[in-house]
Amino acid sequence: MKILNNERLKLIESYIKNGKDISSLLEGYSLKNQSFARAIIKTLNRYNEDLSGTNFAYCTIGENDTETNLSGCNLKGCNFKRAKFLGRTIIRNADVRNCNFHDTDLNHFEYQNSDFRGGVFCGCVLKIGTDAGQGAIVDSGLIELLKKGWILK
């Protein structure tokens, strides 16, 4: 993987400001610790890559009727605050610890065997109790937050 240089980063920034898809600008480059906040990324398929620390806040990722696959990736510490995932997203066997999913719709996620401990899920939509998350690791505190205000009998 190549490292994003200043020239490429400036081009990406101009695409983001103009609402253009940056997918082609990311191909073959490491995304680790970069910021793509508010970007449109129609194609983001990475396997077993280190994407840790990347800022995807407010991004639109994927397209309707397509698949985004980040299986096996290190997504530790990524920011997906209010990111919009279109189509189907697969994040199996991934390290997703300490990620921010505040106000993110993860309803069309498959996250089997992924580790979500330490994550922020305030206002998040997440399918639970289905095979979509079988084997996922979460903090016990997440379950306590879900139960807060409920009347259990």
Side-chain angles (χ1 to χ4, degrees), residues 36-103:
F36 304 110
R38 302 187 188 283
I40 296 170
I41 309 172
K42 291 183 178 182
T43 304
L44 184 64
N45 291 303
R46 303 283 177 130
Y47 306 95
N48 301 314
E49 285 187 35
D50 187 355
L51 305 176
S52 61
T54 304
N55 183 5
F56 294 104
Y58 301 91
C59 282
T60 300
I61 300 171
E63 292 184 278
N64 291 327
D65 301 321
T66 64
E67 184 176 282
T68 297
N69 197 326
L70 299 171
S71 292
C73 286
N74 176 358
L75 298 165
K76 196 173 183 181
C78 285
N79 183 5
F80 293 101
K81 180 180 180 177
R82 292 193 177 174
K84 185 184 222 177
F85 288 91
L86 303 178
R88 181 173 159 225
T89 304
I90 300 170
I91 302 180
R92 294 183 187 131
N93 304 306
D95 186 347
V96 198
R97 289 177 289 168
N98 303 313
C99 283
N100 182 356
F101 291 104
H102 184 267
D103 283 340

Side-chain angles (χ1 to χ4, degrees), residues 6 43 85 109 117 121 123 130 137 139 151:
N6 285 337
T43 304
F85 288 91
F109 258 49
R117 289 175 290 174
F121 296 96
T130 68
I137 302 167
D139 292 312
I151 299 171

Side-chain angles (χ1 to χ4, degrees), residues 116-139:
F116 285 89
R117 289 175 290 174
V120 174
F121 296 96
C122 298
C124 174
V125 175
L126 179 66
K127 274 196 287 189
I128 58 173
T130 68
D131 63 346
Q134 189 169 356
I137 302 167
V138 297
D139 292 312

